[in-house]
Amino acid sequence: MSSAMIQQVIAFVIYLGMMIYIGIRWMSKNNSSEDFFLGGRNMGPWTTALSAEASDMSGWLLMGLPGVAYLGGLKEAFWTALGLEVGTYLNWLIVAKPLRKYSIACGNSITVPEFLTNRFRDKKHIISLVSTIFIVLFFVIYTASGFVACAKLLNTVFGLPYICGLVIGMVVILLYTLLGGFSAVCTTDFIQGTLMFIALIITGFIMMAALGGPGDAVQKVQNFGQRAMSGEFGDVMREKFLGNQSYSIMSVISALSWGLGLTSST
């Protein structure tokens, strides 16, 4: 193992250790179920915003969206990204603040099923049952995709077996979540979101510098696109780069509908 690889391993171990430490630190501050599940409703706007977007966009933004662009073409990626951006904005504008107020008014509800049950005075708890089924069904899939992204990252960067990376990711995430609750999750996501934001900016500058500056970078990207569309890299690459040329209005609506997942999240 090279010295550079050893340094990367040490840095990553320290990072994972810090995530677990955050969970331990918040554990002593959770004195009620409201503290554990909602952080006492006292999380600041910066922590809330960055942690929410880091949770929504981490694996999907850095791994999923490039995959959509590669497999579905640039049009698919553009409309999907636009739908996610609009959905995020509408979520914070329309859903988040009223939901916070109504959940307090409705018996200080902690979870979405509890809020819906109290809001509509469902004595038989049918709404709670149905909403719980939907949450378990779809969020298990969503959470699993996050574990998969972690496993693929460890496999790509450190060469760890996929299952080993999956287990490490699951253990660390479950540890700080079960120990520190919502506050620990928000704090770790805030750190991760900050790192993502800084990394994306730095990567952009590095790319432009490597390509000879902003002007040369734009020109080279355009040249690459023209070469790909001309079939220089093969017909398969040309088809993937161009995407679906008969992109209908229904395809646009389908891609934009990704934003519905954000307008319905809390």
Side-chain angles (χ1 to χ4, degrees):
M1 184 180 294
S2 65
S3 59
M5 179 61 72
I6 293 175
Q7 292 173 0
Q8 291 178 358
V9 171
I10 293 174
F12 203 76
V13 169
I14 293 174
Y15 171 79
L16 295 180
M18 182 174 65
M19 298 296 103
I20 297 174
Y21 173 74
I22 289 173
I24 296 173
R25 287 280 296 176
W26 277 108
M27 181 173 61
S28 60
K29 299 180 181 180
N30 291 327
N31 300 314
S32 65
S33 58
E34 184 179 11
D35 289 339
F36 183 83
F37 288 107
L38 297 178
R41 299 183 187 269
N42 292 319
M43 306 305 295
W46 280 100
T47 302
T48 302
L50 268 177
S51 64
E53 295 315 304
S55 297
D56 282 336
M57 297 295 184
S58 55
W60 163 246
L61 177 64
L62 298 180
M63 298 180 69
L65 189 58
V68 169
Y70 180 73
L71 294 175
L74 296 180
K75 291 181 180 179
E76 179 79 18
F78 170 78
W79 289 111
T80 300
L82 181 62
L84 291 169
E85 184 175 356
V86 173
T88 300
Y89 176 74
L90 292 178
N91 179 38
W92 290 106
L93 180 67
I94 299 174
V95 179
K97 193 172 182 178
L99 181 61
R100 174 185 172 87
K101 292 181 178 179
Y102 279 123
S103 63
I104 296 174
C106 294
N108 196 29
S109 303
I110 294 177
T111 65
V112 173
E114 182 182 4
F115 164 71
L116 293 175
T117 298
N118 294 339
R119 171 68 178 81
F120 296 102
R121 300 178 183 178
D122 180 19
K123 302 298 184 180
K124 296 182 179 179
H125 298 281
I126 296 176
I127 296 177
S128 178
L129 176 62
V130 172
S131 60
T132 300
I133 292 174
F134 274 96
I135 289 172
V136 170
L137 176 62
F138 293 106
F139 272 86
V140 163
I141 298 173
Y142 183 82
T143 304
S145 68
F147 290 145
V148 168
C150 184
K152 288 183 178 293
L153 172 67
L154 293 175
N155 175 259
T156 302
V157 176
F158 301 110
L160 288 177
Y162 177 84
I163 297 299
C164 181
L166 187 66
V167 171
I168 291 175
M170 289 179 62
V171 168
V172 172
I173 294 172
L174 288 175
L175 264 177
Y176 71 69
T177 300
L178 295 176
L179 289 173
F182 183 74
S183 298
V185 172
C186 282
T187 304
T188 54
D189 283 345
F190 173 79
I191 295 173
Q192 293 164 10
T194 303
L195 291 174
M196 287 167 55
F197 181 74
I198 295 173
L200 288 172
I201 293 176
I202 293 176
T203 301
F205 280 111
I206 292 175
M207 182 196 73
M208 287 190 292
L211 295 176
D216 289 340
V218 172
Q219 185 62 46
K220 290 178 180 178
V221 170
Q222 291 176 345
N223 291 340
F224 176 82
Q226 293 172 358
R227 292 167 61 192
M229 287 186 288
S230 68
E232 181 177 339
F233 306 118
D235 292 336
V236 175
M237 176 62 77
R238 180 175 182 274
E239 291 175 3
K240 290 181 180 296
F241 194 87
L242 288 174
N244 186 1
Q245 291 299 297
S246 58
Y247 210 70
S248 64
I249 185 64
M250 289 304 299
S251 299
V252 172
I253 294 174
S254 177
L256 287 173
S257 65
W258 278 94
L260 294 174
L262 294 173
T263 55
S264 61
S265 64
T266 55

